[in-house]
């Protein structure tokens, strides 16, 4: 009974507080009638008008199917979302009721040990539950580990500046909020003083939309308090102002902070991108309650694969579009399970025919496509065949890929024969064929009738009402001309009745002059007098003359990354839709004077007659009153915000219900794998049977698992597990827990049947041969034998220029090699001067530090000012190709560490991007001792034709003169000697080095014909001698046991650099993952014995 009474009293107190807050809002509304928070009835109805009328005159989307007058509501979306919400409440396993955004406990708990289950990549899983839980925990750890490490570092060193792992923003103040469709976004203003460099926001990956951050009060620094937030939007105009601003979402309404006086610090990890994981994590939780298809293969690892159910029931297919050159009578009605066509006229080779057969006839079809073998071409033909055999009632086919680039490439092919496709999520670079078929553009071009029962219009109306209600609560903090009144403080029960009356009585005795008459002063303002002061936020400025922080990428590349990983709709990109409310509460009390004990101020709070409090202490007392009022307003705001957040979720459902109406009338839906997780409730409502995943071997298994919706009957995985693996933020999770192994690779390694394509159509045979150590059965298509030779190289299509120039680190500890970069840039310039367009050249490197260095120096080169530069890391270039590729290996040190150059999958990508010319720059003597693959590649390049050495062979096509280049200066000599007077090259270099006087005369055009012939012969003889000498040096340096001089002793010596690391250790087999912190001197060399290569001369 006592408990019941206590609850009743609390309820009554809550009602009283709400009435007081509402009364305060009404008072402010009376004072400011022109800012009425209410909205008219017409305003509430307006959100529905566009759907009914605004586009009635707009031309219907091209080739879109007939729209019914009264469309049916698809209720499957709300069933999915609401069911997911209810499942979380009733979950009996800890991972199932984890909320979407990490908790402060996960990010800021220095004593916690992280428990991660084993990732079973060999053999069957114990159960579906164990499989889903393991991938959930692994993915969540990868999503948050980098931020947790960043918080650990800041807690240990609160005054630290930005580092290679952490970005720190100080003087963070809350300045307002936006009632957005996604939730309530808080706007903060901050200082970048700790960056130590000037940030170019257009080219920086800092504060990308969807990035997860940790906030802590400045006076706490993660000792007790942590708030986890995500970046809601990063409009450039806000970031570029001084100080910069950005919008954030707190993890939930209960976590929202709004005190404009509070000073925070905000921490960002430089690695990881939570937005790319969050929707997949939610999908895995949902799947525990679903009937998951293909479990016999995904969990039990069954190796034999049956036909999809819809094919087993109706195996006869029309293959006339598949084989357009064949006799139609023989391919019109083919039982693909019994009589796959043979000896038909087709452009497909035998392996492609086998792959196509598998794609059409197996419920889980895996096709491996080595570089250049046409896996995209086969996928397009498979889709064309499926489309030809679709019925009117069939759901759309889902086409997905890891990257926007690969997806758009597929859709461009599809657009040639199928107009009924829609691109969902993000934005496309294809403005011609694909942009008009994005969901965003389709919404704009179709007049959609009102869908009876949809949540969209009711949710818009409800969100406006709730926003108006919340604005009433906020009103005292959005008007700064007066302090909080005595009546407000009394209504909130912050001051007693006696204190309130004392203020009113004393205030009535005070007057001040208004514009025309004497007016009574508000009691609180009269009581405070000159103890009232303005709130002044200070932002630490960045020091003058700071160097510019190196750009992470071009602006458009940054936007592409955000669109791809965060899957931001084009209409929502960079800005938040909704009403913005600025916090203008600029008045507070003066702080406690020095010498007055804090206890005295606390005791003053209970004084009945507030006028008895000394005037010098009244500011400090008011600050406490103000703080307590803020806490009560915030508590009330949080309570009402719960309903606003639920309405935002219903609004999202309502929008998807309209989108479903559009999507169910198309035949193919294209989106990225991350987008498929984000829009899974929408896609699942369409009941798709077929999902085709491109780039499946570089896609995390959890994302492919999320694609396995209950309706799925046919899953097609296309990729190559011998190229790049899936990208993982935390290297430990890749090395110890094998998180980077895709479902594609796991199933192949467990013996599940698959088909490999074998005939390549990309690389010149001289380049293709480098892949022999990786792909033993790859063949050349006849077309690659017809490639024209490159100008200026005498028929050479590949070369490994090796050196011993030492590597270095950039400011972010990424590896770079300046001399190697200069040599590569000189060769780039040579190619351009020989007539090769710069767009035809791609520079690849394994390290971002080297990428930045090369790109900067190319841009600074006065002779290449009009050129386009494609300088990228290997990891970002899978699926791409170009005529010429220059590969910078970078690594060259005394302790034998070759880093990323030793990762076979990355090397495979690097070796296979070039069509006509492939040129490697690096320290070959180190590579062959540390990598078996590089050992074999260098042996291939040393065989006939010989394409390896410390001097680069070039040839002037005009004069047929060959030269050897050892460094950039030699490149200058060779270029000058190969061009007549008046050429572009001779104008650039006025004084060639080490040239015979007669040869200088020849360059100027004044030498006699006999002299020219003589010097040509001398140069040719010298080149032969030098080439033989370099061959001898090559054999000695690369493969003689004593070639490296003191390298063995250097390897055994410690690299004398003191470093402190914080991270996580594990045994790799699941279990606890504890923290470690170590300060040490020295570096350990790569494990494993050195490889003893054969001689190049064998």
């Amino acid at each position: 009974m006592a408990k019941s009474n206590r609850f009743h009293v609390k309820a009554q107190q809550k009602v009283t507080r709400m009435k007081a807050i509402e009364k305060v809002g009404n008072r402010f509304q009376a004072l400011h009638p022109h800012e009425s928070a209410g909205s008219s009835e017409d305003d509430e109805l307006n959100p529905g008008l566009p759907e009914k009328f605004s586009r009635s005159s707009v031309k219907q989307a091209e080739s879109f199917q007939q729209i019914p007058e009264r469309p049916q509501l698809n209720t499957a979306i709300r069933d999915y979302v609401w069911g997911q919400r209810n499942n979380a409440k009733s979950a009996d396993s800890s991972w199932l009721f984890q909320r979407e955004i990490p908790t402060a406990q996960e990010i800021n708990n220095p004593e916690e040990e992280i428990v991660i289950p084993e990732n079973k990549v060999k053999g069957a899983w114990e159960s579906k539950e164990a499989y889903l839980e393991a991938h959930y925990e692994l993915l969540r750890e990868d999503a948050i580990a980098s931020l947790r490490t960043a918080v650990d570092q800041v807690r240990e060193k609160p005054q630290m500046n930005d580092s290679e792992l952490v970005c720190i923003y100080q003087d963070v103040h809350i300045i307002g909020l936006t009632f957005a469709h996604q939730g309530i976004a808080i706007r903060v203003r901050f200082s970048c003083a700790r960056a130590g460099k000037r940030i170019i926001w257009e080219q920086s990956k800092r504060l990308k939309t969807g990035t997860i951050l940790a906030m802590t009060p400045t006076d706490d620094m993660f000792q007790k308090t942590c708030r986890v937030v995500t970046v809601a939007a990063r409009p450039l105009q806000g970031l570029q102002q001084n100080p910069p601003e950005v919008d954030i979402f707190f993890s939930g309404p209960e976590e929202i902070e709004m005190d404009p006086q509070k000073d925070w610090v905000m921490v960002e990890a430089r690695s990881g991108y939570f937005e790319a994981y969050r929707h997949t994590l939610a999908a895995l939780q949902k799947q525990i309650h679903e009937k998951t298809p293909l479990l016999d293969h995904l969990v039990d690892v069954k190796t034999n694969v049956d036909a999809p159910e819809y094919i087993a029931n109706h195996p006869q297919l029309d293959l006339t579009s598949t084989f357009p050159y064949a006799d139609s009578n023989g391919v019109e009605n083919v039982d693909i399970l019994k009589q796959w066509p043979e000896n038909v006229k087709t452009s497909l080779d035998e392996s492609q025919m086998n792959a196509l057969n598998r794609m059409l006839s197996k419920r889980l079809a895996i096709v491996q496509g080595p570089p250049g073998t046409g896996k995209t071409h086969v996928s397009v033909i498979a889709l064309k065949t499926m489309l030809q055999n679709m019925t009117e009632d069939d759901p759309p086919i889902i086409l997905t890929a890891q990257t926007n680039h690969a997806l758009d490439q597929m859709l461009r092919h599809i657009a040639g024969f199928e107009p009924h496709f829609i691109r969902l999520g993000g934005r496309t670079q294809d403005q011609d064929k694909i942009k008009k078929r994005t969901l965003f553009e389709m919404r704009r071009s179709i007049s959609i009738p009102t869908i009876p029962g949809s949540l969209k219009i009711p949710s818009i109306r409800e969100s406006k009402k709730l926003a108006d209600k919340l604005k009433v609560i906020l009103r005292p903090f959005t008007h700064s001309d007066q302090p909080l009144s005595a009546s407000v403080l009394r209504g909130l029960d912050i001051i007693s009745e006696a204190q309130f009356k004392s203020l009113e009585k004393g205030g009535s005795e005070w007057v001040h002059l208004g514009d025309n008459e004497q007016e009574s002063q508000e009691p609180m303002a009269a009581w405070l007098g000159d103890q009232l002061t303005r709130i002044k936020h200070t932002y630490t400025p960045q020091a003058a003359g700071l160097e510019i922080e190196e750009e992470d990428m071009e602006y458009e590349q940054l936007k592409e990354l955000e669109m791809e990983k965060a899957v931001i709709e084009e209409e929502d990109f960079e800005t938040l839709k909704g009403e913005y409310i600025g916090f203008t509460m600029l008045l507070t009390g003066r702080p406690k004077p020095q010498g007055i004990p804090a206890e005295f101020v606390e005791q003053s709070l209970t004084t009945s007659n507030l006028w008895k409090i000394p005037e010098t202490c009244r500011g400090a007392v008011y600050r406490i009153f103000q703080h307590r009022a803020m806490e009560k307003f915030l508590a009330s705001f949080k309570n009402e915000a719960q309903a606003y957040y639920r309405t935002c979720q219903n609004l999202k459902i309502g929008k998807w219900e309209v989108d479903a109406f559009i999507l169910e009338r198309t035949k193919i839906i294209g989106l990225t794998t991350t987008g498929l997780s984000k829009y899974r409730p929408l896609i699942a409502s369409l009941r798709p049977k077929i999902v085709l995943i491109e780039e499946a071997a570089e896609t995390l298994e959890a994302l492919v698992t999320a694609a396995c919706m209950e309706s799925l009957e046919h899953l097609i995985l296309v990729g190559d597990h011998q190229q790049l693996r899936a990208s993982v933020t935390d290297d430990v999770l890749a090395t110890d827990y094998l998180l980077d192994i895709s479902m594609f690779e796991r199933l192949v390694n467990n013996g599940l049947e698959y088909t490999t394509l074998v005939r390549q159509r990309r690389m010149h045979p001289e380049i293709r041969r480098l892949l022999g150590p990786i792909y033993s059965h790859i063949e050349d298509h006849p077309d690659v034998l017809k490639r024209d030779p490159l100008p200026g190289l005498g028929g050479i299509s590949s070369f490994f220029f090796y050196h011993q120039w030492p590597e270095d680190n950039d400011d972010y500890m990424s590896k770079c090699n300046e001399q190697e970069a200069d040599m590569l840039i000189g060769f780039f310039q040579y190619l351009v001067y020989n007539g090769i367009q710069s767009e035809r050249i791609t520079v690849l490197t394994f390290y971002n530090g080297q990428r930045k260095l090369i790109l900067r120096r190319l841009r600074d080169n006065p002779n290449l000012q009009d050129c386009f530069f494609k300088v990228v890391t290997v990891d970002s270039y899978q699926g791409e190709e170009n005529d010429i590729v220059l590969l910078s290996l970078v690594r060259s040190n005394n302790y034998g560490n070759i880093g990323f150059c030793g990762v076979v999958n990355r090397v495979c990508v690097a070796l296979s991007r070039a069509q006509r010319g492939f040129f490697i720059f690096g320290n070959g003597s180190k590579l062959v001792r540390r990598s078996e693959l590089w050992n074999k590649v260098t042996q291939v390049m040393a065989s006939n034709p010989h394409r390896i050495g410390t001097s680069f062979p070039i040839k002037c096509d005009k004069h047929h003169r060959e030269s050897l280049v050892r460094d950039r200066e030699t490149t200058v000599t060779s270029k000058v000697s190969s061009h007549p007077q008046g050429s572009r090259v001779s104008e650039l270099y006025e004084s060639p080095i080490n040239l015979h006087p007669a040869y200088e005369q020849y360059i100027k055009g004044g030498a006699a014909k006999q002299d020219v012939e003589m010097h040509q012969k001398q140069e040719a003889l010298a080149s032969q001698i030098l080439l033989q000498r370099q061959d001898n040096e090559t054999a000695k340096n690369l493969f003689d046991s004593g070639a490296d001089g003191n390298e063995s002793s250097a390897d055994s010596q410690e690299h004398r650099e003191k470093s402190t690391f914080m991270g996580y250790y594990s045994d790799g087999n699941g279990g606890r993952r504890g923290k470690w912190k170590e300060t040490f001197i020295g570096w350990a060399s790569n494990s494993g014995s050195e490889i003893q290569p054969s001689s190049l001369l064998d």
Side-chain angles (χ1 to χ4, degrees):
M1 190 68 180
K3 183 177 181 181
S4 176
N5 289 336
R6 187 166 65 249
F7 286 156
H8 177 71
V9 170
K10 287 186 177 180
Q12 289 282 56
Q13 291 174 342
K14 182 177 178 181
V15 170
T16 302
R17 284 197 303 270
M18 284 302 300
K19 288 182 177 179
I21 291 169
E22 191 170 345
K23 183 178 179 181
V24 173
N26 293 336
R27 179 175 178 272
F28 272 95
Q29 189 168 317
L31 293 173
H32 306 274
H34 60 285
E35 298 181 11
S36 174
S39 58
S40 68
E41 193 68 25
D42 290 339
D43 290 336
E44 292 180 6
L45 293 175
N46 282 341
L49 292 177
E51 273 192 302
K52 292 182 179 181
F53 306 115
S54 66
R55 304 191 188 108
S56 58
S57 61
V58 179
K59 182 181 177 181
Q60 295 293 303
E62 181 182 357
S63 303
F64 199 76
Q65 297 182 16
Q66 186 65 34
I67 298 176
E69 292 183 3
R70 287 188 62 81
Q72 295 296 312
L73 174 66
N74 186 340
T75 60
I77 299 171
R78 62 182 68 178
D79 293 340
Y80 183 109
V81 176
W82 292 347
Q84 191 173 25
R85 187 192 303 165
N86 294 331
N87 291 336
K89 294 178 181 178
S90 60
D92 54 1
S93 297
S94 59
W95 71 278
L96 291 174
F97 58 78
Q98 287 270 31
R99 69 182 188 183
E100 197 170 283
I101 305 297
T103 63
Q105 181 77 4
E106 290 180 90
I107 299 297
N108 186 36
N109 188 355
E111 305 303 324
E112 182 183 15
E113 285 188 322
I114 301 95
V115 180
I116 304 176
E118 177 187 2
N119 182 21
K120 194 173 180 63
V121 297
K122 195 68 177 176
W125 283 84
E126 178 184 345
S127 64
K128 166 189 169 180
E129 291 74 16
Y131 170 72
L132 292 175
E133 180 180 4
H135 280 283
Y136 178 91
E137 296 289 5
L138 287 164
L139 197 65
R140 193 171 182 92
E141 175 65 11
D142 197 42
I144 67 176
S146 57
L147 181 60
R148 190 174 59 229
T149 301
V151 168
D152 287 344
Q153 289 193 358
V154 175
R155 190 191 314 107
E156 291 283 329
K157 297 176 62 179
Q159 302 305 317
M160 69 178 287
N161 290 324
D162 283 11
S163 70
E164 66 272 15
L165 299 177
V166 186
C167 298
I168 305 170
Y169 310 97
Q170 66 183 46
D171 306 326
V172 180
H173 298 107
I174 294 169
I175 62 170
L177 61 79
T178 300
F179 291 105
H181 289 172
Q182 304 95 317
I184 298 172
I186 304 296
R187 184 165 298 176
V188 296
R189 187 175 290 153
F190 57 92
S191 166
C192 297
R194 298 203 195 188
K197 294 185 178 181
R198 187 155 58 90
I199 300 167
I200 307 300
W201 288 103
E202 297 95 324
Q203 299 171 332
S204 174
K205 290 192 293 185
R206 291 170 176 261
L207 301 178
K208 297 189 304 293
T209 302
T211 298
I212 188 171
L213 311 169
M215 292 177 62
T216 186
T218 302
D219 57 3
D220 180 81
M221 295 306 291
F222 297 111
Q223 297 303 313
K224 295 180 180 179
T225 304
C226 175
R227 294 287 183 269
V228 181
V229 303
T230 56
V231 178
R234 69 180 318 259
L236 281 175
Q237 64 181 28
L239 291 171
Q240 289 174 337
Q241 66 186 35
N242 187 20
E245 298 174 359
V246 72
D247 295 303
I248 59 174
F249 286 128
F250 281 86
S251 57
E254 70 283 354
E255 295 285 333
I256 288 178
E257 296 283 352
M258 292 193 306
D259 188 348
Q261 297 186 61
K262 202 166 187 177
D263 194 88
W264 298 81
V265 167
M266 198 160 60
V267 172
E268 175 186 17
R270 288 189 183 272
S271 61
Y273 194 25
F274 177 75
E275 185 67 20
Y277 294 127
R278 62 185 297 183
H279 305 291
T280 303
L281 292 170
L284 294 176
Q285 289 174 318
K286 181 69 169 65
Q287 282 184 293
I288 203 72
H289 302 284
E290 294 180 347
K291 182 181 178 182
T292 307
L294 302 174
L295 283 179
D296 52 342
H297 301 298
L298 305 188
V299 174
D300 301 331
V301 199
K302 177 185 174 183
T303 57
N304 297 324
V305 185
D306 299 326
E309 184 177 347
Y310 74 95
I311 290 292
N313 294 335
H314 302 284
Q316 291 79 21
L317 296 183
D318 183 353
L319 302 180
T320 54
S321 66
T322 313
F323 305 111
Y325 308 113
D327 182 358
S328 60
N329 294 327
V331 293
E332 271 187 337
N333 190 26
V334 178
D335 186 335
I336 64 170
L337 299 182
K338 293 182 179 179
Q339 50 182 28
W340 181 252
E342 295 181 0
N343 302 319
V344 294
K345 189 175 182 180
T346 176
S347 61
L348 300 175
D349 61 48
E350 182 180 356
S351 65
Q352 290 175 328
M353 284 285 286
N354 293 336
L356 179 62
N357 184 4
R358 179 173 297 282
M359 287 178 168
L360 298 175
S361 63
K362 298 295 184 179
R363 63 196 290 254
L364 177 53
I366 298 180
V367 173
Q368 180 192 13
T373 54
K375 54 182 178 290
T376 299
H377 179 63
V378 179
S379 296
V380 170
I381 292 178
L383 288 169
K384 188 175 184 180
T385 305
M386 294 174 186
L387 289 168
Q388 185 181 14
N389 290 275
M390 284 180 72
T391 66
E392 187 175 333
D393 297 329
D394 281 334
I397 296 171
I398 307 303
L399 170 64
T400 183
Q402 177 71 8
T403 63
N404 278 317
H405 173 81
L407 178 62
D408 284 349
Q409 186 181 49
M410 289 283 291
L411 291 176
R412 276 194 293 271
H413 290 297
I414 292 168
F417 56 82
E418 176 52 64
H420 293 103
F421 73 88
I422 290 181
R423 169 76 150 83
L424 181 60
R427 66 175 177 181
T428 176
Q429 299 297 322
D430 190 313
Q431 301 295 309
D432 179 28
K433 296 181 179 179
I434 301 177
K435 182 174 176 61
K436 63 184 178 181
R437 299 299 302 181
T438 61
L439 181 59
F440 174 67
E441 292 294 334
M442 294 295 287
R443 292 193 198 112
R444 298 173 61 185
S445 59
I446 298 172
S447 179
I448 305 172
T450 301
I451 301 175
S454 170
L455 291 175
K456 181 177 179 181
I457 296 176
S459 297
I460 291 175
R461 291 172 175 167
E462 182 65 17
S463 65
K464 284 179 66 66
K465 290 180 181 179
L466 291 169
D468 290 341
K469 194 172 183 179
L470 289 167
K471 283 186 283 185
V472 171
I473 300 174
L474 291 175
R475 192 161 291 277
F477 300 96
T478 57
H479 296 79
S480 59
D481 52 347
Q482 291 288 329
L484 292 175
S485 68
S487 58
V488 169
L489 297 178
R490 179 67 192 115
L492 295 174
D493 202 26
I494 291 173
I495 61 176
S496 67
E497 184 67 21
Q499 290 173 325
F500 171 71
K501 289 181 177 180
S502 72
L503 285 173
E504 281 201 322
K505 181 180 179 182
S508 64
E509 300 173 0
W510 283 77
V511 296
H512 73 283
L513 294 179
D515 292 336
N516 299 310
E517 60 181 347
Q518 291 185 338
E519 297 176 352
S520 295
Q521 189 172 8
E522 208 285 326
M524 182 57 70
W527 177 72
L528 282 168
D530 63 3
Q531 285 294 299
L532 195 63
T533 185
R534 288 189 172 274
I535 300 171
K536 294 182 180 179
H537 291 152
T538 58
Y539 298 91
T540 307
Q542 290 190 291
L546 289 176
E547 62 178 294
I548 295 175
E549 183 178 53
E550 287 203 64
E551 68 270 20
D552 293 302
M553 53 189 66
E554 296 290 341
Y555 179 70
E556 284 304 315
Q557 291 177 307
L558 181 63
K559 301 303 106 181
E560 173 75 10
L561 176 66
E562 282 195 65
M563 286 292 193
E564 193 166 279
K565 297 298 186 181
V567 198
I568 306 165
E569 282 283 6
E570 190 161 345
E571 61 179 331
D572 296 331
F573 188 64
E574 286 191 334
T575 58
L576 285 173
K577 290 186 176 180
E579 183 180 0
Y580 174 73
I581 305 294
F583 293 167
T584 56
M585 185 182 69
L586 301 180
L587 296 176
T588 189
R590 295 187 185 277
K592 176 181 70 66
Q594 291 185 351
I596 295 181
E599 294 80 6
F600 178 79
V601 176
E602 288 289 335
Q603 293 170 3
S604 299
L605 297 174
T606 60
T607 302
S608 298
N609 186 351
L610 294 179
W611 288 93
K612 292 184 177 180
I613 298 175
E615 186 174 347
T616 55
C617 296
R618 291 176 187 175
V621 172
Y622 176 76
R623 290 169 76 98
I624 297 175
F625 288 159
Q626 190 181 43
H627 177 72
R628 291 179 179 178
M630 171 59 77
E631 288 183 334
K632 293 199 174 186
F633 277 112
L634 183 57
S636 178
F637 185 91
K638 290 179 179 179
N639 183 64
E640 294 298 324
Q642 299 277 357
Y644 185 87
Y645 272 72
R646 287 192 296 269
T647 303
C648 289
Q649 189 176 64
N650 289 341
L651 177 57
K652 181 167 68 173
I653 293 172
K655 289 181 176 180
W656 280 349
E657 287 170 345
V658 176
D659 291 340
F661 174 78
I662 301 173
L663 294 175
E664 62 193 7
R665 284 161 176 74
T666 192
K667 292 186 178 180
I668 289 187
I669 298 172
L671 69 174
T672 62
T673 49
T674 306
L676 182 55
S677 291
K678 178 173 182 176
Y679 295 104
R680 194 173 189 269
L682 171 59
I683 300 299
S685 74
L686 306 175
R687 307 288 300 167
K689 294 188 299 186
I690 304 170
V691 174
L692 189 153
I693 302 180
E694 276 277 324
E695 303 177 314
E698 55 177 306
T699 304
L700 287 168
E701 176 150 359
L703 276 79
V704 180
T705 303
C708 297
M709 293 157 280
E710 287 185 301
S711 60
L712 180 68
E713 297 181 23
H714 193 177
L715 178 63
I716 304 169
L717 305 179
V718 182
D720 183 9
H721 57 291
Q722 291 178 275
Q723 295 187 59
L724 287 184
R725 282 181 169 175
S727 176
V728 176
T729 302
D730 190 334
D731 291 338
V732 173
L733 294 176
T735 56
D736 292 2
Y737 292 88
L738 307 178
L739 180 59
D740 60 341
I741 293 182
S742 62
M743 178 188 291
F744 185 110
E745 182 175 359
R746 177 173 70 88
L747 295 179
V748 166
N749 291 341
N750 277 278
L752 191 132
E753 57 185 74
Y754 70 103
T755 297
T756 301
L757 305 178
V758 298
R759 180 170 285 189
Q760 71 92 15
R761 293 165 168 79
R762 174 187 298 163
M763 296 162 278
H764 188 286
E766 190 177 303
I767 304 171
R768 186 268 310 148
R769 67 177 183 153
L770 306 183
L771 297 177
I774 302 173
Y775 303 100
S776 57
H777 302 296
I778 199 168
E779 304 169 358
D780 293 325
H781 190 275
D783 288 350
V784 302
L785 304 176
K786 305 172 186 177
R787 299 270 165 82
D788 294 332
L790 296 173
L793 294 173
I796 292 176
S797 296
S798 64
F799 197 82
F800 190 156
F801 174 84
Y802 65 88
H803 60 76
Q804 294 186 347
W805 298 323
E807 68 185 44
D808 202 351
N809 294 329
D810 69 1
D811 290 343
Y812 296 104
M813 302 305 291
S814 182
K815 301 299 179 183
C816 57
N817 192 314
E818 292 196 26
Q819 290 175 277
E820 181 177 294
D822 286 341
M823 182 66 185
L824 183 147
I825 292 167
F827 185 62
F828 187 107
Q829 183 172 289
Y830 175 78
L831 294 174
V832 171
Y833 285 168
N834 275 274
I836 297 175
Q837 295 178 342
S838 60
E839 292 86 351
R840 302 280 187 180
I841 307 171
T842 294
V843 178
L844 285 183
T845 179
F846 292 101
Y847 293 91
N848 198 41
Q850 186 77 343
R851 181 194 70 82
K852 292 178 182 179
L853 174 65
I854 293 174
L855 183 59
R856 184 174 66 250
R857 295 196 175 183
L858 282 171
R859 288 172 174 170
D860 292 342
N861 190 315
N863 309 315
L864 299 171
Q865 290 302 298
D866 298 329
C867 292
F868 169 87
F869 304 118
K870 183 75 170 180
V871 185
V872 293
T873 58
V874 172
D875 283 9
S876 64
Y877 207 62
Q878 175 146 335
E880 305 271 4
E881 60 186 48
N882 209 345
D883 277 8
I884 301 171
V885 171
L886 313 183
L887 175 62
S888 174
L889 298 177
V890 181
R891 301 312 300 270
S892 179
N893 51 68
N894 290 331
Y895 40 99
N897 192 338
I898 63 173
F900 293 146
C901 297
V903 180
V904 174
N905 301 71
R906 285 185 165 107
V907 175
C908 178
V909 173
L911 296 178
S912 59
R913 301 301 100 194
Q915 296 173 333
R916 298 172 58 199
F918 181 51
F919 305 96
I920 308 172
F921 300 78
N923 188 331
S925 62
K926 303 295 182 183
L927 289 174
V928 297
R929 284 176 166 77
R930 296 298 179 182
S931 167
E932 183 178 358
L933 175 58
W934 279 112
N935 184 343
K936 294 177 180 179
V937 168
T938 52
Q939 290 190 57
V940 170
M941 299 191 80
S943 62
N944 190 20
H946 184 93
R947 297 290 186 256
I948 187 170
T950 56
S951 294
F952 213 115
I954 59 177
K955 181 178 181 179
C956 176
D957 291 334
K958 184 173 183 177
H959 303 95
H960 306 292
R961 179 184 179 280
E962 295 181 355
S963 304
L964 292 173
V965 181
R966 290 184 62 88
D967 49 38
R968 194 172 184 184
E969 282 71 26
T970 314
T971 308
V972 171
T973 303
S974 302
K975 286 185 290 188
V976 174
S977 64
S978 302
H979 293 77
Q981 182 182 12
S983 70
R984 182 181 180 189
V985 180
S986 63
E987 292 175 0
L988 293 173
Y989 303 100
E990 298 178 357
S991 54
I993 59 173
N994 300 327
L995 290 182
H996 190 281
Y999 199 54
E1000 290 182 356
Q1001 215 174 12
Y1002 160 68
I1003 294 171
K1004 297 175 182 178
K1009 181 178 180 180
Q1010 294 82 356
D1011 290 336
V1012 172
E1013 292 176 351
M1014 177 187 70
H1015 287 295
Q1016 284 179 334
K1017 291 179 181 179
Q1018 289 178 341
E1019 288 286 311
L1021 178 61
S1023 295
Q1024 290 180 5
I1025 296 173
L1026 186 56
L1027 181 61
Q1028 182 62 48
R1029 184 182 302 165
Q1030 297 306 320
D1031 279 344
N1032 294 336
E1033 290 181 6
T1034 297
K1036 181 178 180 181
N1037 288 340
L1038 282 179
F1039 302 108
D1040 195 358
S1041 60
D1044 288 328
N1046 297 326
E1047 179 182 339
S1048 58
S1049 61
D1051 281 348
S1052 63
Q1053 293 175 355
E1054 295 178 330
H1055 182 59
R1056 300 292 179 178
E1057 182 173 343
K1058 185 174 181 180
S1059 302
T1060 302
F1061 289 86
M1062 293 185 66
Y1064 299 90
Y1065 63 84
S1066 66
D1067 57 10
N1069 298 314
R1072 300 190 179 278
R1073 189 180 187 203
K1075 295 187 179 181
W1076 55 267
K1077 177 181 178 182
E1078 182 177 2
T1079 300
F1080 68 95
I1081 296 177
W1083 292 85
S1085 62
N1086 283 7
S1087 59
S1089 58
E1090 290 191 356
I1091 299 161
Q1092 299 301 325
S1094 305
S1095 171
L1096 282 175
L1097 305 181
D1098 288 345

